[in-house]
Amino acid sequence: MLRTLERYARHRRATAQWLVRSIERGRGGSCAHFSLARGWSAPYPETSGYLIPTLLSLDGELPELDLAARANAIGRWLASIQNPDGSWNGGLHPAGRGPKPSFFNTGQILKGLVALHRADPSAGWLEPAHRGAAWLQRRSLAHGLWPAEYRASATPSYYTHVAWPMLEVWAETGDGAIRKSAEHALERILLRRRENGAFAGWGFGEEGRAFTHTIAYTLRGILECSRLLDAWDDVGARAVPALERLARKAELSGGRLAGELDLQWKVSGDFVCLTGNAQIAICLLIWERRERDLRLVNAAAKLVDRVCAAQSLQHPLAGIRGAVAGSAPVWGRYMALRYPNWAAKYHCDALSRLSARVEAEQESAPCACS
């Protein structure tokens, strides 16, 4: 176990160092990705926002990287580019022609601002977070969801990942209108669950296929909303059939989980979505806190180990060293030939959760001393 924890720490440090490079290149935020064709991208407000909790959580472990200071700097940048109505625009920054406010991106930025508020309640972070959540509440439709954006004609099911940060803001402000809006959206999406545990609309497009990235978004949103609402039986348990299937697939494949699945759980691509691997590992570990089932820890470990195996810790290119590719192989369908900052974020988060669980198991194991 000690060697495993040391290995996880090496990968976590290298990934955090890559995230620092993405911030140093990001001119305020973190670059969306490093591309083998074009190098570093422009900064991405959405993922810069939800990178903040990761930076704060790693600050004590890696003090030499000044991660808390970097998290606060990103927060100030995000506050400076917030629209007057409380929203944030979609896409990279600065936006191209015709910037448009984005429901999903706004939701993800709320996570970072709430994390900064909890770290320092006197610093004023709750005000922009509250304005962002209130904008989401005002823009929700009568049926509880939001107007279509991106490639979908209706609100995708992974917008449980918008309801979740709205509830985080509600937990800090007590704004009942925001809670009601988030619950309404969550209820509508939960109705989409099929008998086999899959959720219609949990992919980017209309054809029923979904990357494990957005599958995990959907399930994580359900689990976190359940936590905030204290509603496991009515909310969290709805994710269990899907998590059971994913845990089984992870175990049987040795962590080489297919990166894209259809609504019948059939493989739709010969690649691993490394971001999805890390995210699903996190979901399994969240569920395992209730179940205390080492089978789920084992499945999560196989998913994380697959990401570690695809990661180079000593590559001569700084844009690749410590990075996590979108796919394995790197030319796979998800973020082909690119190393996204959100893949690195979720890899750090998964490594931290898994390390904590392994340490807890080590501490509870009976002493073999004579």
Side-chain angles (χ1 to χ4, degrees):
M1 281 189 183
L2 182 59
R3 288 184 180 179
T4 297
L5 291 171
E6 290 173 346
R7 176 166 58 86
Y8 289 164
R10 285 197 302 273
H11 281 271
R12 189 163 56 245
R13 177 181 294 274
T15 311
Q17 290 170 336
W18 183 89
L19 285 171
V20 167
R21 291 193 286 277
S22 81
I23 295 166
E24 291 173 344
R25 296 276 189 148
R27 304 186 302 280
S30 168
C31 297
H33 57 259
F34 179 83
S35 165
L36 292 177
R38 298 185 178 183
W40 292 100
S41 77
Y44 196 11
E46 174 204 330
T47 56
S48 297
Y50 69 36
L51 181 57
I52 289 172
T54 302
L55 298 176
L56 293 174
S57 70
L58 291 175
D59 184 60
E61 178 185 343
L62 303 169
E64 72 279 8
L65 297 182
D66 294 324
L67 297 179
R70 296 180 193 278
N72 277 270
I74 291 174
R76 290 190 294 271
W77 175 71
L78 290 169
S80 76
I81 63 173
Q82 186 176 22
N83 294 324
D85 62 6
S87 67
W88 279 270
N89 293 327
L92 306 184
H93 184 82
R97 290 181 297 176
K100 295 181 179 180
S102 168
F103 306 113
F104 191 80
N105 294 31
T106 295
Q108 306 325 295
I109 291 168
L110 299 182
K111 297 176 189 173
L113 297 179
V114 170
L116 287 169
H117 165 72
R118 288 172 177 161
D120 184 0
S122 66
W125 296 114
L126 194 56
E127 190 272 336
H130 195 187
R131 288 199 296 122
W135 176 80
L136 288 167
Q137 176 261 315
R138 291 194 306 271
R139 291 299 308 277
S140 61
L141 301 175
H143 64 277
L145 297 174
W146 290 275
E149 58 183 353
Y150 300 135
R151 287 177 278 172
S153 62
T155 303
S157 293
Y158 61 82
Y159 277 45
T160 60
H161 232 67
V162 176
W164 162 24
M166 291 178 73
L167 290 173
E168 296 282 10
V169 173
W170 159 74
E172 296 300 320
T173 64
D175 189 326
I178 290 172
R179 171 176 173 157
K180 184 176 180 180
S181 176
E183 285 184 303
H184 201 175
L186 180 64
E187 289 165 2
R188 298 292 299 185
I189 293 171
L190 290 175
L191 292 174
R192 296 177 179 176
R193 196 188 77 172
R194 298 188 166 200
E195 290 186 6
N196 66 0
F199 284 80
W202 62 4
F204 284 129
E206 306 287 324
E207 69 281 356
R209 297 180 305 178
F211 293 120
T212 50
H213 170 52
T214 56
I215 290 173
Y217 263 163
T218 305
L219 299 174
R220 176 79 182 275
I222 292 170
L223 292 171
E224 298 290 0
C225 286
S226 170
R227 170 181 59 83
L228 288 157
L229 295 170
D230 192 19
W232 177 258
D233 291 341
D234 293 333
V235 179
R238 302 296 294 278
V240 166
L243 292 172
E244 282 277 16
R245 284 181 177 267
L246 290 165
R248 192 177 313 118
K249 287 177 177 291
E251 286 190 293
L252 293 175
S253 65
R256 197 183 186 283
L257 188 63
E260 193 172 25
L261 300 164
D262 67 18
L263 289 173
Q264 288 72 48
W265 297 100
K266 293 180 180 177
V267 173
S268 185
D270 187 20
F271 65 94
V272 174
C273 173
L274 296 173
T275 311
N277 258 41
Q279 290 174 269
I280 289 169
I282 293 168
C283 290
L284 293 177
L285 291 168
I286 292 172
W287 179 33
E288 198 272 339
R289 285 207 304 254
R290 292 184 61 90
E291 298 296 314
R292 311 310 293 177
D293 184 347
L294 289 178
R295 177 182 61 89
L296 299 177
V297 179
N298 183 56
K302 288 182 177 180
L303 291 168
V304 170
D305 286 345
R306 180 61 61 175
V307 182
C308 290
Q311 186 182 32
S312 173
L313 302 188
Q314 298 180 333
H315 199 283
L317 281 179
I320 297 177
R321 185 171 61 253
V324 177
S327 296
V330 71
W331 56 84
R333 266 180 35 85
Y334 184 73
M335 294 294 293
L337 306 179
R338 286 168 287 179
Y339 296 80
N341 68 351
W342 57 95
K345 174 255 184 340
Y346 285 118
H347 189 42
C348 281
D349 291 350
L351 285 165
S352 293
R353 283 181 180 268
L354 185 57
S355 295
R357 184 65 184 89
V358 170
E359 288 176 349
E361 187 63 25
Q362 189 176 40
E363 291 172 1
S364 65
C367 180
C369 305
S370 58

